[in-house]
Amino acid sequence: MYQYDTYDQAMVDARVEEFRDQVRRRLAGHITEDQFKPLRLMNGLYLQLHAYMLRVAVPYGTLSGAQMRMLGDIADKYDRGYGHFTTRQNIQYNWIKLEDAPDILADLASVEMHAIQTSGNCIRNTTSDQYAGAAADEVVDPRPYAELIRQWSTFHPEFSFLPRKFKMAVIASDTDRAAMRLHDIGIQIVRNAAGEIGAAFYVGGGMGRTPMIAPCINAFVPIDQMITYAEACLRVYNRHGRRDNKYKARIKILVHELGKDEYTRQVEAEFAHLLTQNIEPPLAELERIKGFFADPAFEVGAPDVLDRSDPDFALWVDNNCLPHKQPGYIAVTISLKPVGGIPGDATGEQIRVMADLATRYSFDELRVTHAQNIVLPHVRKADLYALWQVLDANGLSTPNLDQIGDIIACPGLDYCSLANARSIPIAQKISQRFQGREQEIGELKLKISGCINACGHHHAGHIGILGVDRKGTENYQLLLGGCEGADTSLGQITGPGFDEDGIVDAVQRATDFYLSNKQDGERFLDTYRRLGMAPFKEAIYG
Amino acid sequence: MAEVQFRFRDDEPVADPGVTVDAFGEQTNAAAVRLEPGDDARDLLPHLDRIRLVEVNFPVFGDGRGYSSARILREAGYTGELRAVGDVLVDQIAFMRRCGFDAFAPDVALDPADAEAAFGRYADVYQPTTDGRAPIWAKRHG
């Protein structure tokens, strides 16, 4: 994986000192909270309901064992013993003291990490495919391209005060595991008929209160022009994106209001101009970065069989492990969704356990997934049982990947100052209600947001739940038919909302109807797409 | 009009306040113009040879359109004074400098020590812009 050189390290070190100085000026009263707010936000520090929350960047979701270990130590030293993995492949800590924040950043910098641009109206941490480098279906490893974008977007002087936040994702396979088309810019690295690598640009997607699927505005930007093209996309947005209404300030609204064709025309004109400005890093820089993402030293001829005699292990393998491009290896997803737990939470000790397993069994590498789980990307099948036993002993062996208990949920009203309703208790009740039935129901992606900002991706859930405030009480709307991935679709609201227990009952009526009506091999989503909303609605509302 | 607190050029400052973009089109002798966030900096490009000062106004620091305006002017070859005015804060001036601003007239004067630290904070930068600094990738592959 990527390693800092002296330039990268100097950058994060300078940032620690800058933020230390900003906190000093704030604590001394030299700057107001209003002036401090955008500064702390540029550093991932939010003032939430009960405390400061610090969001740490995990570029394209990739971590080393030492980095993961540090994340566990920070949870114990500065938080209340937990870290929370997020839908943007980051980690956040919910109980941070302002005066500790500079020291935390210094600890992070010691393992080549930071919190730069994890919030604020700037280009956020770039996300990617959690199986990058392991998936059999990728054209190339997408992470070198994401790293190129990370450097370009870090402290970009023109784009640090955009109309609104800006999220980018980079993938390199047709199977989209990063919800690429629901980003401000989604890039798919592709190979054309001539065998050349290029970048397909999808611009103007997003969730939030106005969910939109990004259209493709250029199907093949030559790879040695990718940064220049991104700069053109951003400049048009920075100049013309709406700033009169924060709810209409995302690039998706600009693309929608101008129309895809006019937005594309403006980007192409800006691109033609910027090509004369020599802002593109040379291919030698991409090659340098690629060197860090070469395949690890896989054992040739590693045994390609598993002993499945332990039924609990076999179930977990079937649910949580994915085929690897290298014979004898497998990619493991560790579910952070135990029944009744808080989705995405892990204790400091659990984080260190996962770090040690990565060091011992996965070439020292981990990934955070946008579904709030952890991946060990390169595990020898011969080591899998021993690895599973350690997971099992540490409450990390829940065999529910992509099932109804593998819920994405935002922090909701338990933590977040923007939320209208709690998300976590709903997730807990649903995972408890369906305990023991997950296998029968099969693949079902359930996603919960505690407000319309959609941090819990409810638009993209096969079943989505949106918490709203209805005359002072929490109310939950139900959506069906959302999907991220190559066949991205947005969920539709079923009808009137429910209270806390009613929404759990409604989910059960929907899944019961599915089980009674599914045809051979159909997932919940397939049955919904075949039958449509009407019969589900009737089953739910009677 | 706020005073110029920092200026990184040696030529004689233009004394006149900048006129609006609309007025500038009509006053063919004006050498100073003031850009608001909604103005299109490209409207000035045909007239760069007679402009000696462009004031770019930041009515609120969070409105980042002025950064693009500055780069567009510099990219087009403008060499006159480019002055950031308005809600110009210490934590923005380094970004502004990188986009080509070479004079700063903040509404509220900045603490000189804080400003000096801000201008010099980052030894190197990732992107080439219009300030002439070589980006890190150029140094890596020099």
Side-chain angles (χ1 to χ4, degrees):
Chain A
M1 55 182 283
Y2 188 72
Q3 289 175 344
Y4 283 5
D5 65 2
T6 53
Y7 293 111
D8 299 308
Q9 188 66 48
M11 192 72 74
V12 296
D13 289 345
R15 180 53 152 185
V16 172
E17 289 317 307
E18 180 177 41
F19 191 64
R20 199 180 287 286
D21 184 52
Q22 289 166 344
V23 169
R24 175 190 61 76
R25 282 186 281 134
R26 175 68 194 118
L27 291 174
H30 294 171
I31 51 176
T32 67
E33 175 55 23
D34 272 357
Q35 290 168 339
F36 182 58
K37 185 176 172 186
L39 308 180
R40 64 173 165 77
L41 285 181
M42 288 274 286
N43 238 319
L45 196 66
Y46 286 77
L47 186 56
Q48 293 289 47
L49 288 176
H50 313 293
Y52 280 99
M53 178 272 276
L54 178 69
R55 184 181 295 148
V56 176
V58 182
Y60 33 91
T62 296
L63 289 164
S64 70
Q67 290 174 329
M68 187 75 162
R69 225 163 273 124
M70 177 61 81
L71 295 179
D73 290 346
I74 287 172
D76 286 339
K77 188 172 173 187
Y78 301 104
D79 192 275
R80 296 183 178 178
Y82 285 90
H84 178 75
F85 291 94
T86 78
T87 57
R88 297 221 8 95
Q89 299 180 299
N90 291 327
I91 185 170
Q92 57 196 41
Y93 298 100
N94 284 314
W95 301 97
I96 295 301
K97 294 189 189 74
L98 176 60
E99 52 270 35
D100 285 342
D103 291 336
I104 301 174
L105 295 185
D107 286 355
L108 289 168
S110 74
V111 290
E112 303 182 5
M113 294 187 77
H114 59 77
I116 294 164
Q117 291 168 215
T118 54
S119 52
N121 292 336
C122 51
I123 303 170
R124 302 288 188 91
N125 183 43
T126 298
T127 56
S128 188
D129 186 333
Q130 69 266 23
Y131 299 122
D137 61 353
E138 67 187 13
V139 171
V140 289
D141 188 331
R143 292 173 299 165
Y145 307 90
E147 172 61 24
L148 203 60
I149 290 170
R150 181 191 77 80
Q151 295 186 27
W152 161 74
S153 61
T154 297
F155 303 136
H156 196 297
E158 187 176 343
F159 306 134
S160 289
F161 296 91
L162 295 166
R164 201 73 177 84
K165 59 187 169 183
F166 203 90
K167 301 176 181 180
M168 298 178 68
V170 183
I171 64 170
S173 65
D174 285 334
T175 308
D176 174 8
R177 287 172 285 260
M180 179 271 288
R181 294 187 70 185
L182 296 170
H183 284 75
D184 295 285
I185 292 181
I187 292 174
Q188 181 174 352
I189 305 297
V190 294
R191 194 187 298 277
N192 68 10
E196 299 156 335
I197 295 292
F201 271 72
Y202 293 79
V203 182
M207 294 195 239
R209 64 186 60 212
T210 317
M212 290 191 189
I213 298 170
C216 181
I217 70 160
N218 191 324
F220 192 88
V221 176
I223 208 62
D224 59 354
Q225 299 177 348
M226 179 181 78
I227 295 297
T228 307
Y229 202 84
E231 186 128 338
C233 292
L234 263 296
R235 179 176 284 179
V236 172
Y237 170 56
N238 190 46
R239 300 185 74 212
H240 302 300
R242 287 182 62 171
R243 292 176 187 262
D244 58 324
N245 179 342
K246 70 179 279 197
Y247 301 118
K248 297 188 174 183
R250 295 289 290 271
I251 193 173
K252 62 191 173 186
I253 303 295
L254 177 70
V255 174
H256 181 72
E257 289 184 351
L258 286 177
K260 174 197 140 187
D261 292 345
E262 173 58 18
Y263 173 75
T264 306
R265 188 194 65 73
Q266 293 187 20
V267 168
E268 294 288 341
E270 196 69 63
F271 178 54
H273 161 68
L274 286 171
L275 282 175
T276 68
Q277 296 295 314
N278 301 317
I279 59 172
E280 188 79 26
L283 280 176
E285 175 61 5
L286 183 61
E287 291 304 316
R288 184 190 74 89
I289 294 170
K290 275 185 185 171
F292 292 105
F293 294 96
D295 277 347
F298 293 125
E299 178 189 328
V300 177
D304 205 26
V305 289
L306 283 173
D307 177 356
R308 298 170 54 93
S309 52
D310 182 331
D312 289 340
F313 171 66
L315 176 69
W316 175 82
V317 171
D318 291 341
N319 284 341
N320 286 41
C321 297
L322 254 89
H324 198 283
K325 67 180 183 185
Q326 179 73 19
Y329 285 79
I330 200 160
V332 169
T333 300
I334 302 169
S335 170
L336 300 183
K337 320 291 177 67
V339 173
I342 296 174
D345 266 19
T347 65
E349 182 58 25
Q350 286 177 320
I351 294 171
R352 282 188 293 271
V353 165
M354 292 186 277
D356 291 344
L357 288 173
T359 303
R360 187 160 175 198
Y361 294 121
S362 185
F363 295 95
D364 204 35
E365 218 184 285
L366 310 96
R367 313 286 172 76
V368 184
T369 82
H370 85 274
Q372 303 179 278
N373 294 314
I374 299 295
V375 165
L376 300 177
H378 312 297
V379 178
R380 277 199 328 158
K381 287 184 180 174
D383 295 328
L384 196 58
Y385 189 66
L387 182 152
W388 175 79
Q389 287 178 306
V390 176
L391 292 176
D392 199 43
N394 286 279
L396 291 167
S397 66
T398 313
N400 64 354
L401 181 65
D402 293 339
Q403 294 180 345
I404 193 166
D406 182 12
I407 297 168
I408 290 180
C410 71
L413 198 51
D414 290 296
Y415 293 101
C416 178
S417 55
L418 302 173
N420 297 122
R422 292 166 302 148
S423 303
I424 292 168
I426 305 300
Q428 291 169 317
K429 285 188 176 184
I430 289 173
S431 69
Q432 284 162 342
R433 170 75 65 93
F434 290 94
Q435 182 173 18
R437 297 185 59 201
E438 302 97 330
Q439 285 302 118
E440 181 191 5
I441 295 169
E443 181 183 315
L444 200 167
K445 298 187 183 184
L446 195 148
K447 309 185 190 222
I448 307 173
S449 302
C451 82
I452 199 160
N453 290 313
C455 296
H457 295 188
H458 63 276
H459 300 296
H462 301 171
I463 293 180
I465 294 173
L466 168 63
V468 296
D469 178 280
R470 191 160 165 270
K471 296 175 186 162
T473 58
E474 292 164 296
N475 189 268
Y476 295 92
Q477 294 179 346
L478 184 65
L479 295 87
L480 300 177
C483 178
E484 63 209 1
D487 54 347
T488 303
S489 58
L490 300 172
Q492 302 298 313
I493 294 176
T494 55
F498 303 89
D499 66 14
E500 186 175 338
D501 291 320
I503 189 69
V504 183
D505 294 337
V507 169
Q508 183 164 352
R509 287 195 291 277
T511 52
D512 285 349
F513 179 79
Y514 153 70
L515 289 172
S516 309
N517 291 276
K518 71 171 180 174
Q519 294 180 350
D520 285 349
E522 274 186 343
R523 304 168 299 162
F524 177 91
L525 181 67
D526 302 323
T527 303
Y528 173 82
R529 284 177 171 170
R530 176 171 56 83
L531 295 176
M533 175 64 91
F536 276 90
K537 196 167 173 175
E538 195 178 314
I540 291 163
Y541 293 97
Chain B
M1 198 172 97
E3 288 193 18
V4 176
Q5 190 181 359
F6 305 99
R7 193 164 186 274
F8 298 86
R9 5 181 354 113
D10 299 326
D11 58 349
E12 198 59 30
V14 177
D16 315 333
V19 301
T20 65
V21 174
D22 283 349
F24 178 80
E26 294 153 13
Q27 298 177 24
T28 50
N29 60 345
V33 61
R34 179 183 175 99
L35 278 178
E36 298 297 332
D39 291 334
D40 187 349
R42 291 201 161 102
D43 288 347
L44 299 181
L45 299 191
H47 314 291
L48 291 186
D49 54 344
R50 68 175 167 101
I51 302 175
R52 292 180 52 218
L53 168 66
V54 179
E55 293 177 324
V56 177
N57 186 28
F58 291 84
V60 291
F61 69 84
D63 189 332
R65 285 176 285 188
Y67 295 92
S68 289
S69 298
R71 275 190 74 187
I72 285 168
L73 291 171
R74 290 298 190 211
E75 285 166 0
Y78 174 65
T79 56
E81 180 174 336
L82 195 50
R83 185 186 296 171
V85 305
D87 194 16
V88 174
L89 305 177
V90 71
D91 296 289
Q92 278 81 55
I93 55 178
F95 287 134
M96 291 174 172
R97 191 88 179 90
R98 297 213 53 222
C99 287
F101 286 100
D102 54 12
F104 299 84
D107 281 345
V108 178
L110 309 181
D111 179 282
D114 288 346
E116 190 186 339
F119 280 127
R121 176 85 60 193
Y122 291 95
D124 288 294
V125 295
Y126 281 120
Q127 318 81 358
T129 54
T130 36
D131 60 355
R133 292 171 77 178
I136 287 170
W137 53 251
K139 296 190 169 188
R140 281 175 178 150
H141 302 282

